[in-house]
């Protein structure tokens, strides 16, 4: 097994590795982002409250679940005839405070405000309307998103979907998705994610869309 390595020019982690760097500055975080280079699979986040940088190398299951959840969201939006603009992945920053990289995020209500933008600047641009995190190698703390202020946050963990709504100060868990109040996403997402892992992504996506087309008639 190769040990994790961070040098001036290289960040090398094995799938499933997680490294926490303590007592770090925003400048340290920006420097690591610049040295990530072609290691796009690495996720790097920063929290100024505890001055920690967390570097994660996701496992294949993580990527599969993240991809499935994003596809399920697109199906629900399409069947409801809603437009969206999505990113997978993207780095969201509140300069000097928080840097975070959701597995995927969606602009829905605020879609038109960020179309064509090469960079998202949260000083002038709105945050995504929905962000999705998959917890396989590490646990997501909803508080890490408070500085970013994403209205709705999904955390998929251990075949459960946790839904959080931002009230302007903190995240509160809810049983109903504000974006999809008429769809039982807390039940359906785990069911079809498990189906995708066992039978394949395309099978789960097709069955999920067929189910929704029947239910939304």
């Amino acid at each position: 097994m190769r040990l994790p390595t961070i040098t001036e020019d290289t960040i090398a982690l094995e799938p499933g590795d997680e490294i926490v760097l303590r007592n770090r500055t925003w400048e340290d975080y920006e420097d690591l982002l610049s040295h990530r280079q072609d290691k796009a699979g690495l996720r790097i986040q920063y929290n100024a409250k505890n001055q920690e940088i967390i570097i994660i190398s996701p496992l294949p299951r993580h990527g599969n679940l993240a991809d499935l959840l994003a596809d399920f969201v697109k199906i629900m939006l399409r069947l409801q005839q809603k437009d969206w603009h999505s990113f997978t992945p993207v780095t969201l920053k509140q300069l000097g405070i928080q840097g975070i990289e959701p597995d995927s995020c969606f602009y829905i209500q605020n879609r038109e405000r960020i179309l064509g933008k090469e960079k998202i600047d949260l000083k002038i641009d709105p945050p995504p309307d929905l962000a999705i995190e998959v917890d396989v190698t590490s646990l997501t703390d909803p508080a890490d998103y408070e500085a970013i202020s994403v209205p709705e946050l999904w955390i998929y963990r251990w075949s459960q979907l946790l839904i959080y709504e931002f009230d302007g100060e903190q995240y509160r868990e809810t049983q109903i998705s504000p974006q999809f109040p008429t769809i039982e996403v807390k039940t359906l997402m785990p069911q079809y994610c498990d189906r995708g892992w066992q039978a394949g992504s395309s099978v789960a996506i097709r069955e999920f869309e067929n189910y929704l087309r029947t239910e939304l008639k």
Side-chain angles (χ1 to χ4, degrees):
M1 180 180 67
R2 186 178 66 183
L3 294 176
T5 301
I6 301 178
T7 68
E8 185 175 346
D9 301 313
T10 304
I11 304 174
L13 278 71
E14 291 291 305
D17 282 348
E18 176 182 343
I19 293 179
V20 179
L21 306 176
R22 296 183 172 85
N23 301 315
R24 303 294 173 162
T25 65
W26 182 263
E27 289 72 23
D28 294 331
Y29 166 66
E30 292 280 14
D31 187 58
L32 277 173
L33 288 179
S34 68
H35 284 85
R36 176 165 45 184
Q37 299 175 345
D38 62 340
K39 304 290 185 179
L42 291 179
R43 300 182 60 211
I44 304 174
Q45 65 183 56
Y46 178 76
N47 188 320
K49 289 182 180 179
N50 50 25
Q51 295 184 305
E52 287 184 351
I53 296 173
I54 301 177
I55 309 172
I56 302 168
S57 179
L59 290 166
R61 183 175 176 83
H62 177 280
N64 176 257
L65 290 170
D67 190 58
L68 278 170
L69 286 165
D71 282 339
F72 295 152
V73 169
K74 292 172 186 177
I75 289 170
M76 291 187 289
L77 290 170
R78 189 172 68 250
L79 292 180
Q80 293 184 342
Q81 299 184 338
K82 293 181 179 180
D83 289 323
W84 73 88
H85 201 51
S86 58
F87 297 90
T88 308
V90 66
T91 302
L92 303 173
K93 301 177 186 176
Q94 281 289 6
L95 292 180
I97 301 173
Q98 185 75 53
I100 202 159
E101 298 179 343
D103 290 305
S104 59
C105 63
F106 290 80
Y107 281 86
I108 306 166
Q109 286 82 5
N110 286 307
R111 179 187 68 92
E112 293 186 355
R113 295 178 60 184
I114 48 85
L115 291 178
K117 293 197 172 186
E118 292 292 337
K119 293 184 179 180
I120 296 174
D121 183 353
L122 293 180
K123 291 186 294 184
I124 57 174
D125 297 323
D129 297 296
L130 171 66
I132 300 175
E133 290 276 9
V134 174
D135 287 358
V136 174
T137 53
S138 62
L139 300 183
T140 300
D141 185 347
D144 290 341
Y145 273 84
E146 289 174 0
I148 308 300
S149 304
V150 174
E152 183 174 349
L153 171 65
W154 289 6
I155 300 176
Y156 190 84
R157 179 187 301 162
W158 301 319
S159 294
Q160 288 186 315
L161 180 68
L162 306 175
I163 303 173
Y164 295 90
E165 187 174 10
F166 189 58
D167 65 6
E169 295 184 359
Q170 61 184 327
Y171 282 92
R172 299 185 183 279
E173 188 173 357
T174 178
Q175 300 303 304
I176 298 174
S177 166
Q179 286 292 339
F180 307 104
T182 63
I183 300 175
E184 296 181 356
V185 295
K186 277 188 69 71
T187 300
L188 293 174
M189 295 300 101
Q191 176 183 336
Y192 284 96
C193 279
D194 288 345
R195 177 64 172 158
W197 186 247
Q198 298 299 327
S201 300
S202 63
V203 173
I205 289 168
R206 182 170 60 251
E207 292 179 355
F208 179 68
E209 183 164 0
N210 289 340
Y211 171 81
L212 277 190
R213 285 187 182 279
T214 301
E215 289 297 308
L216 296 178
K217 282 184 179 179

